Every structure is written in structure tokens, then in C-alpha cells.
Amino acid sequence: MFRRQWYAWLSVAWPGIAGLFATIAIWFAVPMPYIVYEPGPAAATRPMVATAGAPQAADGDGAFLMTTVRWTYANVFKYVEATFDAHAEIFEKETITRGANRTDYVQRQRLQMRASHSDALEAVYRALDIPYEAKTDHVVVFSVVPGFAADGALHPGDRLLAIDGRTIAKDVDVRTAMEGKAAGDVAEVKVRRGDAERTVRLTLRALPDTDPPRAGMGITYGVLQTIESEDPAYRVEMKAGSIGGPSAGLMFALEMYDRFTEGDLTRGRRIAGTGTIAPDGTVGAIIGGAVGALVGREIDRSC
């Protein structure tokens, strides 16, 4: 009896059940071409900054906090929710990622974070007249332009070793190696990805929005540096964990300045902020992924 009733109910209810599952699938499983930005947590910089022998150790109840932004690839539900959330912003995915997949986009954000570390440290050394040395570690790919020869062949984080046999040790070496090349020319590019080296042949195309017009493989690149003081007491190691992007530079600089000077710069307060900082101490805009720019010595260059 119960089984017959169950079958009878199911024969009537199954369209509604199917519709319910279809609705859930549409709302939560169907991706949309948008990214949603929302306020993230404010992270204390003190645990992220290690100083071997800072003259003035960080103390007191105050703290510097860097504000963060949480970003999410939108499904239908997230898009609708963000539309009614005054604290959320919706961007077209292509505007943010510039064609990069999730892995490449995250890698680009990490490279920008590392660049911000160097800029912040150099700004503090300059402000306090601490002798230091800036060493070029390597030139790396920051992003790949969709549809160009490098798309699928190179990835953010690839270290540029040589172009057409010319060794790449500084950013100017890239410009020198690419000078005089025209659309249709082939460039032989040697890179290191992880522990492996590889060489790819890329057919150049005219780059968009360049004046004067020039050809390129379709990448942006930057120089990663190590900034190190001559005095070991002022040497710094910074680790931001999974946080990416360039806009933590200002708060890292304030944290290090506090370490290397007497007293408590916070005056016991918890100070939250964000923004870029250049090696000369100039404070810049909040950048994050919405603009995808590179700052300081890692200026966004293309070739």
C-alpha cells in the first residue's frame, strides 16, 4: 500500500522535484563572466614581518593591519546577492584577469605581493638612511595577453633566461633583445619554470595601444629584487601567506619603520589601512586586482 502511494505521489511530484534540482543547478553551478569583490579580513602585519635584530622590537598594544579584499568567481546566486549588497562590487572577469585562468591570476597576485615587499623595504631604508643593496634576482613574466603567441606557452612566474640567445639579467635586456623586431618575426625564448628549463619559438604580433607601434610576444614582465641592508640587524623577511596583490606595501612599510625606530608609532592604536608605496616613499592608490597594475620597480612592461 505504502509503495503504491509513494509511486503515485512521485508520478505527480517528479516535475516539481526536477525543477527544484534544475533551479539549484542554475543558481549555484552555472558560472557567470563576473568576479565579485567584497571586504575581506584586516590582517595584522606584525606576524608577517620577521627582523633578526631590530634595534626596537615591536611592542605595545597597538598594531598595523592591512585591509584585504575577498574576490569570488560569480555564479548566478553570487551575482544576484552582490547586486543587492552595498559592500560588494561586480566586475567583468576579463577586466580583472585579462584572460588568465584562476591559477595564473593567483600567481600574478603573488608576484605583485613580493614586489610590494621590496618596494616597502627600500622605502624604509631610504627614509632612515640605512645603507642597503638592491640585487636583481631575475626577470619574470607577470601576465600573458590572450590570443598572442605567448598564450599557452608562457605563464606568470616563468623566469626569462634568454631571448634569441641574449641572456636576460635585467629588464633592459628584454627591450634590447626585442628591439627592431617586427610582426611576423619569430623569437626564441628560454625560460625556467620551477626546476625545469624550456625553449619556445613565438611568432610576434603588433602589440595593441603602443606608441610608436611595436611587435611583441604578448607578455608583461617585471624585475624581482632582493633588498638587503648592509647591517644584519636591519634585515627583514616578510611572508604574507595566501594574500596577494601590491596594495599591502604601505602597511608593511609602517610596520618595518616602527621596528627600526624608538617608541610605538601606533601609540597603542590598531591602525588599518592599505595602499601601494614606491621606493621613494610615495604612497599610491589602492590597486588590487581590479586594475591589475604593477607598482614600483615592477612597472607593468609589455613585449
Side-chain angles (χ1 to χ4, degrees):
M1 173 66 71
F2 175 77
R3 181 176 295 181
R4 286 198 301 270
Q5 291 176 340
W6 165 252
Y7 285 143
W9 177 85
L10 190 61
S11 65
V12 175
W14 75 264
I17 296 173
L20 175 62
F21 279 103
T23 300
I24 293 174
I26 291 172
W27 276 77
F28 295 97
V30 175
M32 297 191 70
Y34 300 101
I35 286 179
V36 176
Y37 274 75
E38 301 170 284
T45 56
R46 184 176 299 174
M48 302 179 189
V49 178
T51 48
Q56 176 69 23
D59 54 14
D61 297 326
F64 290 107
L65 310 171
M66 61 176 177
T67 57
T68 64
V69 175
R70 180 186 296 111
W71 59 273
T72 307
Y73 283 101
N75 52 28
V76 175
F77 174 80
K78 191 66 180 179
Y79 179 83
V80 173
E81 180 188 52
T83 301
F84 296 96
D85 186 349
H87 302 291
E89 290 188 83
I90 302 170
F91 297 93
E92 291 186 4
K93 186 169 68 173
E94 288 299 314
T95 302
I96 305 299
T97 65
R98 291 185 287 177
N101 58 35
R102 182 188 294 265
T103 300
D104 286 352
Y105 177 67
V106 170
Q107 176 66 6
R108 189 168 76 212
Q109 292 283 296
R110 289 174 178 170
L111 291 170
Q112 291 176 343
M113 175 59 79
R114 178 176 170 182
S116 76
H117 291 175
S118 298
D119 287 344
L121 187 53
E122 189 169 4
V124 172
Y125 285 163
R126 288 189 185 187
L128 297 177
D129 293 323
I130 297 173
Y132 68 94
E133 183 179 5
K135 301 176 182 178
T136 298
D137 289 340
H138 41 257
V139 182
V140 299
V141 175
F142 271 91
S143 65
V144 178
V145 181
F148 277 70
D151 188 9
L154 302 179
H155 297 281
D158 285 352
R159 176 181 175 183
L160 293 172
L161 301 179
I163 298 176
D164 289 336
R166 293 176 177 266
T167 299
I168 304 300
K170 299 176 293 184
D171 59 341
V172 69
D173 296 333
V174 178
R175 295 194 295 271
T176 300
M178 297 296 293
E179 189 174 5
K181 293 187 179 298
D185 290 348
V186 175
E188 189 173 85
V189 184
K190 184 178 181 181
V191 300
R192 178 186 295 276
R193 185 179 304 160
D195 296 327
E197 294 183 4
R198 58 179 307 196
T199 300
V200 295
R201 293 174 57 83
L202 305 176
T203 302
L204 308 182
R205 289 178 50 186
L207 295 173
D209 304 322
T210 56
D211 186 21
R214 54 192 176 89
M217 63 188 79
I219 64 169
T220 62
Y221 61 93
V223 178
L224 293 183
Q225 293 186 315
T226 295
I227 307 297
E228 189 173 85
S229 71
E230 297 177 6
D231 186 344
Y234 292 97
R235 291 177 185 169
V236 177
E237 182 179 4
M238 286 175 276
K239 294 182 179 180
S242 60
I243 302 173
S247 296
L250 171 61
M251 304 314 291
F252 276 123
L254 291 172
E255 176 67 37
M256 289 182 287
Y257 192 94
D258 194 22
R259 298 283 182 97
F260 297 142
T261 55
E262 296 183 358
D264 180 6
L265 190 62
T266 69
R267 299 182 181 179
R269 299 181 177 91
R270 292 170 61 82
I271 301 172
T274 187
T276 63
I277 191 166
D280 64 1
T282 301
V283 176
I286 302 169
I287 295 180
V291 184
L294 306 176
V295 296
R297 295 188 183 274
E298 284 62 45
I299 297 172
D300 192 358
R301 302 175 176 92
S302 61
C303 76

